[in-house]
Amino acid sequence: MGQASCKGLYQSLLDYKTEKYVIAKNKKVGLLYRLLQVSILTYLVVWVFLMKKGYQDTDTSLQSSIITKVKGVTFTNTSELGERLWDVADYVIPPQGENIFFVITNLIVTPNQRQETCAESESIPNAVCSEDSDCPPGEPVMAGNGVRTGRCLRAENVHRGTCEIFAWCPVETKSRPEKPLLSKAEDFTIYIKNFIRFPKFNFSKTNVLDTKDRDFLKSCQFGPKNLYCPIFRLGSVVSWTGSNFQEIALQGGVIGIQIEWDCDLDKAPSECNPRYHFSRLDSTFPGNSVSSGYNFRFAKYYRDADGVEFRTLMKAYGIRFDVMVNGRAGKFNIIPTVINVASGVALMGVGSFICDLVLIYFIKKSNFYRNKKFEEARSSHPGNAKVNVEQLQNLQTVEA
């Protein structure tokens, strides 16, 4: 038994398999085969070459530089600041013109703060006390404004109070205004200059019109027919994200400006144009949610006539802008073209494979076709040099 199996294995190693082509006169399988061929050819031509430009070499390692400038002035008159004119040096942070910048639209101002002792804010839960032992000296108030001195400050006939602290006093106590301080900031303009380069193709371009007219940027504004004037009205940018300017100016927010370059370098350079997308990046919540908005604090420091330092604390609400750039460039190259054509030809073999499966396994006469497709040819006697030609015939026509 073991010798027989070993002999069979040995003989099978010496077998040679060659293809046999059988023309099956079956209209259903023939129709399926042509449909598969047409589908694969359509995919190759339409999707691979026309849509995805499979004949091109691509470069996605975009090198980009962003320069931003904000322009506009507005006037305010408040009890904390008095009459004040606001220009770009006052409301833009940072002033260097980077791809991320912040425009102040609302403020809580706490003027004339000095380092001394005062009562902690009642809005700080960790600062509430009933007696001096609740305020261990030297310990900072968690989420508070200063360090405890050891005293509990209470009003007369009041059981609870707040700890005395050493801090910049008086501490910030005011809530957010109901209206934005710089409500007219929606008429400010943002200038976004973008330089890009695709290193693989040594191709460079900018989003500003190449002109010698010095007055061009002073009079133009971005629009569908004016893509190379990247000057945007602040209120328009906010509206393009689906937001209301007065609402976002009140509590702040984050807006993304995405510049997309999709360049077909087989065409003229003038066909490579920037596309702009505007979106609200911070989560918006209904009502006055504590998670809404964007703000931070900063201070301006001064010294009085005696040389004592004091400051004005500002809690700034406003709009943060994140300018992002991405893109790709493509140019004809024979290598990806050959690879994609070869892949398409290989896919054609999938059609033959599927039709073979249907033919020999899933139709009624599958046994008949299977016997015609797989045929064994062997020589019974070593001396018999004649082989039946019909058994080795490579091309047969089978009538279904």
Side-chain angles (χ1 to χ4, degrees):
M1 182 71 179
Q3 292 180 349
S5 61
C6 290
K7 184 179 179 181
L9 177 61
Y10 172 74
Q11 290 179 344
S12 65
L13 292 175
L14 300 178
D15 288 345
Y16 168 70
K17 296 180 178 65
T18 184
E19 288 189 75
K20 178 179 180 180
Y21 296 95
V22 178
I23 299 177
K25 297 293 186 177
N26 186 301
K27 294 182 179 179
K28 294 181 179 178
V29 176
L31 179 61
L32 174 63
Y33 182 57
R34 298 307 176 194
L35 287 176
L36 289 172
Q37 283 185 321
V38 171
S39 300
I40 293 171
L41 188 62
T42 302
Y43 161 78
L44 184 65
V45 174
V46 176
W47 178 255
V48 175
F49 284 105
L50 295 182
M51 301 294 293
K52 292 297 182 179
K53 294 182 172 63
Y55 56 87
Q56 290 184 333
D57 188 13
T58 59
D59 184 5
T60 57
S61 57
L62 177 69
Q63 298 174 348
S64 173
S65 175
I66 292 288
I67 299 173
T68 58
K69 292 181 182 179
V70 182
K71 287 190 176 181
V73 295
T74 188
F75 176 81
T76 61
N77 188 0
T78 63
S79 57
E80 296 87 358
L81 299 174
E83 294 184 349
R84 180 165 182 172
L85 181 72
W86 295 79
D87 64 10
V88 63
D90 298 314
Y91 58 74
V92 175
I93 301 172
Q96 290 89 348
E98 301 175 356
N99 63 317
I100 297 177
F101 60 96
F102 178 81
V103 177
I104 297 173
T105 56
N106 205 3
L107 280 176
I108 297 176
V109 181
T110 307
N112 198 28
Q113 283 190 322
R114 299 172 184 267
Q115 290 195 8
E116 54 192 15
T117 58
C118 57
E120 178 61 281
S121 172
E122 296 179 353
S123 63
I124 307 298
N126 191 242
V128 177
C129 62
S130 300
E131 53 189 21
D132 290 347
S133 60
D134 295 331
C135 305
E139 290 191 5
V141 180
M142 186 179 299
N145 296 286
V147 178
R148 295 180 178 92
T149 64
R151 296 179 58 197
C152 180
L153 303 180
R154 302 186 302 272
E156 294 183 4
N157 301 322
V158 177
H159 178 66
R160 297 169 67 86
T162 59
C163 293
E164 182 185 65
I165 59 172
F166 178 77
W168 286 97
C169 299
V171 297
E172 180 185 275
T173 56
K174 294 182 180 179
S175 59
R176 186 179 63 207
E178 296 182 356
K179 293 182 179 180
L181 178 66
L182 305 184
S183 58
K184 296 183 180 180
E186 61 182 329
D187 292 324
F188 294 170
T189 59
I190 308 171
Y191 172 50
I192 303 174
K193 182 160 58 174
N194 179 212
F195 298 96
I196 59 118
R197 179 175 179 268
F198 291 101
K200 181 182 287 188
F201 306 119
N202 195 27
F203 177 81
S204 302
K205 198 166 184 182
T206 181
N207 66 335
V208 182
L209 183 67
D210 185 12
T211 178
K212 294 181 179 179
D213 184 2
R214 295 183 179 273
D215 295 328
F216 172 72
L217 292 176
K218 296 179 181 179
S219 57
C220 71
Q221 199 168 78
F222 175 81
K225 296 183 179 180
N226 205 2
L227 296 176
Y228 286 89
C229 176
I231 297 179
F232 306 87
R233 180 177 171 271
L234 193 58
S236 299
V237 171
V238 173
S239 65
W240 291 334
T241 68
S243 302
N244 179 273
F245 180 82
Q246 296 302 322
E247 292 178 0
I248 194 174
L250 182 64
Q251 60 184 5
V254 183
I255 288 180
I257 302 175
Q258 182 170 326
I259 307 175
E260 182 179 357
W261 296 86
D262 189 0
C263 299
D264 185 352
L265 300 185
D266 292 325
K267 300 179 180 178
S270 60
E271 297 295 321
C272 175
N273 298 316
R275 288 186 293 177
Y276 297 86
H277 307 277
F278 306 89
S279 58
R280 180 82 180 267
L281 299 182
D282 63 312
S283 299
T284 55
F285 298 91
N288 293 320
S289 171
V290 295
S291 301
S292 299
Y294 182 86
N295 64 79
F296 64 93
R297 291 174 176 83
F298 68 96
K300 294 187 176 182
Y301 295 86
Y302 312 91
R303 290 189 182 273
D304 60 17
D306 297 327
V308 179
E309 186 180 45
F310 67 98
R311 74 179 188 180
T312 297
L313 178 66
M314 298 185 183
K315 183 177 181 181
Y317 297 83
I319 306 173
R320 167 177 160 158
F321 293 90
D322 290 14
V323 183
M324 300 160 284
V325 182
N326 60 45
R328 64 178 296 279
K331 193 173 185 178
F332 175 78
N333 191 297
I334 191 62
I335 295 177
T337 304
V338 171
I339 291 174
N340 283 299
V341 169
S343 300
V345 173
L347 281 175
M348 290 293 185
V350 175
S352 300
F353 176 74
I354 294 174
C355 290
D356 280 350
L357 291 179
V358 173
L359 194 67
I360 64 180
Y361 290 111
F362 297 108
I363 63 176
K364 292 181 180 180
K365 295 183 178 181
S366 59
N367 290 330
F368 171 73
Y369 289 111
R370 193 181 305 121
N371 292 333
K372 290 296 182 181
K373 180 170 179 61
F374 302 106
E375 183 175 334
E376 183 177 304
R378 75 170 62 227
S379 177
S380 300
H381 303 285
N384 187 6
K386 295 182 178 179
V387 181
N388 192 334
V389 178
E390 294 180 356
Q391 288 182 336
L392 298 177
Q393 186 176 8
N394 288 330
L395 184 63
Q396 292 187 2
T397 301
V398 180
E399 298 289 346

